[in-house]
């Protein structure tokens, strides 16, 4: 196998604690397993090792990263290493004093999640009265001169409000808007029946996004991510398994993607090995790197160097075998599984608003 590419970015999931209860959360179902979080010193060592590997970007996420009392120190550590720093947050906990400290520590960018365009709908999806605090946080971000990304996870319960969501982002002065349809892992997988939109909903949203892109060109970047289930070709998992990005969970587990914790593969932890060894040599990162592992139809497909067989976690989740072709692909022998889910989402007799299982609060970090 050829020498792996160097990781461009590290996603530091500082904690899975979060005040919100979103039914589409991608965090693991067994949240209690991640309660033993890395210390400040351990996170600073991870960032230093990532920088030595050539990593240029540090993205701080969770859960809610602002629940970490040491978030300012961790951000300062990444900044002092010369890394571009990005805070991915609900906005809750971003007080003016905290924001000033983060700016002084060298934070470069803030991404705030919003669940819908107005308070009642957004608070219902979040499971908490939070909309007004999110808006206040976005206003604070712009006042302090940070670039602002507004992230909205789209699903059956809010995709009909795409026009209003874009208008809200305009009013907030966002530089970038991510309209990302739900990917079905973690709690979203448990709630797929209630979240997967219909073809009619998607067609309407896509038309609105196309018009808005033309109107906002040069003023606001608008990113729209189609749900995997409605594509006929899979997306490359994180740009390809173990190619450009690594994620570090709150307990120190290192992953090629956010959902890989569910795969029956040997774990890799920064508590036990260096980040360099994990990236270059660990069985976890070697498992699906490149194309040598591929069975048919992926092995002979002319897209194998483009999509790398699609998502390994999705293949495992839908078939029980992580080596199978991603069932999203129309060439996969398991494509019928996805077609059945899409058919159910478009059944005119289905209930209008199915109940969801909200993500629980695993507790506040120490």
């Amino acid at each position: 196998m050829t020498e792996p590419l160097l990781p461009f970015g590290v996603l530091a999931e500082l904690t899975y604690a979060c005040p919100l209860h979103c039914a589409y959360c991608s965090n693991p179902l067994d949240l209690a397993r991640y309660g033993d979080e890395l210390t400040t010193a351990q996170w600073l060592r991870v960032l230093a090792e990532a920088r030595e590997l050539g990593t240029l970007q540090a993205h701080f996420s969770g859960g809610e990263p602002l629940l970490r009392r040491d978030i300012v120190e961790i951000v300062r550590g990444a900044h002092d290493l010369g890394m571009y720093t990005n805070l991915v947050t609900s906005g809750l906990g971003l007080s003016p004093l905290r924001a000033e400290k983060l700016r002084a520590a060298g934070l470069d960018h803030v991404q705030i999640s919003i669940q819908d365009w107005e308070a009642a709908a957004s608070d219902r999806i979040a499971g908490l009265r939070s909309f007004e605090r999110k808006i206040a946080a976005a206003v604070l971000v712009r006042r302090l001169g940070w670039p602002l990304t507004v992230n909205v996870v789209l699903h059956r319960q809010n995709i009909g409000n795409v026009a209003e969501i874009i208008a809200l982002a305009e009013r907030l002065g966002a530089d970038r808007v991510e309209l990302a349809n739900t990917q079905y892992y973690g709690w979203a997988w448990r709630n797929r029946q209630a979240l997967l939109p219909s073809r009619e909903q998607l067609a309407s949203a896509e038309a609105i996004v196309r018009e808005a892109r033309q109107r906002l060109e040069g003023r606001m970047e608008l990113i729209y991510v189609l749900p995997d289930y409605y594509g006929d070709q899979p997306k490359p998992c994180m740009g390809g398994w173990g190619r450009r990005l690594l994620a570090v969970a709150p307990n120190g587990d290192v992953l090629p993607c956010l959902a890989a914790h569910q795969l029956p593969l040997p774990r890799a932890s920064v508590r036990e090995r260096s980040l360099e060894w994990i990236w270059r040599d660990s069985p976890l990162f070697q498992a699906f790197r490149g194309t040598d592992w591929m069975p048919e139809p992926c092995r002979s497909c002319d897209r194998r160097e483009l999509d790398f067989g699609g998502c390994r976690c999705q293949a495992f989740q839908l078939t029980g075998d992580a080596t199978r072709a991603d069932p999203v692909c129309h060439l996969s022998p398991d494509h019928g599984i996805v077609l059945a889910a899409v058919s159910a989402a478009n059944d005119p007799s289905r209930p209008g608003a199915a109940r969801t299982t909200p993500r629980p609060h695993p507790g506040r970090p120490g």
Side-chain angles (χ1 to χ4, degrees):
M1 180 176 291
T2 58
E3 181 73 8
L5 298 172
L6 297 177
F8 184 76
V10 57
L11 177 61
E13 298 197 291
L14 301 181
T15 179
Y16 284 150
C18 183
L20 305 185
H21 305 275
C22 306
Y24 55 76
C25 182
S26 62
N27 287 169
L29 298 178
D30 54 340
L31 291 169
R33 173 184 166 189
Y34 299 91
D36 183 17
E37 297 177 359
L38 296 179
T39 65
T40 309
Q42 287 171 323
W43 273 117
L44 293 175
R45 175 176 63 81
V46 168
L47 292 169
E49 291 184 5
R51 187 68 188 93
E52 288 176 5
L53 269 175
T55 302
L56 299 176
Q57 298 181 352
H59 304 273
F60 300 106
S61 182
E64 175 46 67
L66 288 172
L67 287 176
R68 289 280 303 216
R69 297 188 182 98
D70 55 0
I71 179 66
V72 172
E73 188 175 350
I74 292 173
V75 167
R76 180 181 294 111
H79 172 76
D80 290 347
L81 289 166
M83 302 171 83
Y84 182 88
T85 53
N86 176 35
L87 179 67
V88 184
T89 175
S90 68
L92 276 61
L94 190 65
S95 65
L97 177 60
R98 202 88 179 281
E100 290 284 5
K101 289 182 177 179
L102 284 165
R103 188 173 67 163
L107 183 64
D108 293 303
H109 181 274
V110 180
Q111 176 176 319
I112 294 179
S113 66
I114 295 176
Q115 281 65 37
D116 212 327
W117 74 281
E118 54 90 27
S122 184
D123 293 348
R124 176 181 56 80
I125 294 169
L128 182 76
R129 290 185 63 181
S130 54
F131 180 78
E132 297 301 336
R133 283 183 284 170
K134 288 171 173 286
I135 298 304
V139 170
L140 176 61
V141 166
R142 296 303 293 134
R143 180 169 66 78
L144 291 178
W146 274 311
L148 170 66
T149 292
V150 170
N151 173 264
V152 184
V153 177
L154 298 178
H155 46 79
R156 193 177 190 92
Q157 299 175 17
N158 67 359
I159 195 169
N161 301 329
V162 165
E164 292 85 353
I165 290 168
I166 294 171
L168 171 63
E170 287 185 74
R171 293 195 296 274
L172 292 174
D175 302 281
R176 188 168 179 264
V177 180
E178 292 183 0
L179 301 171
N181 274 278
T182 302
Q183 304 300 317
Y184 294 97
Y185 310 104
W187 296 91
W189 167 250
R190 177 169 286 188
N191 293 302
R192 187 184 70 178
Q193 181 179 358
L195 297 175
L196 187 62
S198 67
R199 287 192 183 90
E200 183 178 357
Q201 286 179 309
L202 286 170
S204 176
E206 288 171 7
I208 290 168
V209 170
R210 280 196 302 271
E211 183 280 327
R213 275 181 175 154
Q214 294 177 354
R215 177 172 56 83
L216 296 169
E217 186 176 5
R219 288 193 287 141
M220 187 170 76
E221 183 182 6
L222 190 55
I223 296 171
Y224 179 79
V225 181
L226 187 75
D228 284 3
Y229 284 44
Y230 281 92
D232 61 359
Q233 295 174 331
K235 301 181 181 73
C237 177
M238 306 296 282
W241 181 278
R243 283 176 56 84
R244 301 304 286 160
L245 186 137
L246 54 83
V248 183
N251 67 343
D253 285 351
V254 186
L255 303 165
C257 74
L258 297 178
H261 58 83
Q262 66 183 308
L263 300 182
L265 293 169
R267 64 188 290 270
S269 173
V270 294
R271 296 180 189 267
E272 300 163 2
R273 304 300 292 260
S274 72
L275 205 59
E276 180 178 11
W277 181 88
I278 293 171
W279 176 260
R280 295 186 186 278
D281 300 314
S282 68
L284 174 62
F285 275 76
Q286 294 281 7
F288 303 113
R289 184 175 270 156
T291 60
D292 291 347
W293 61 271
M294 290 181 176
E296 294 294 348
C298 300
R299 179 177 291 274
S300 58
C301 180
D302 59 6
R303 289 182 54 84
R304 65 186 178 278
E305 297 280 358
L306 299 175
D307 59 36
F308 301 97
C311 179
R312 297 302 87 224
C313 302
Q314 193 155 251
F316 178 75
Q317 197 159 242
L318 294 175
T319 73
D321 183 352
T323 68
R324 303 280 287 182
D326 188 338
V328 164
C329 181
H330 69 287
L331 297 175
S332 166
D334 304 304
H335 188 52
I337 299 172
V338 171
L339 293 180
V342 169
S343 177
N346 288 276
D347 184 350
S349 66
R350 61 166 286 163
R355 294 185 63 183
T356 59
T357 301
R359 175 201 190 275
H361 193 314
R364 191 183 183 93

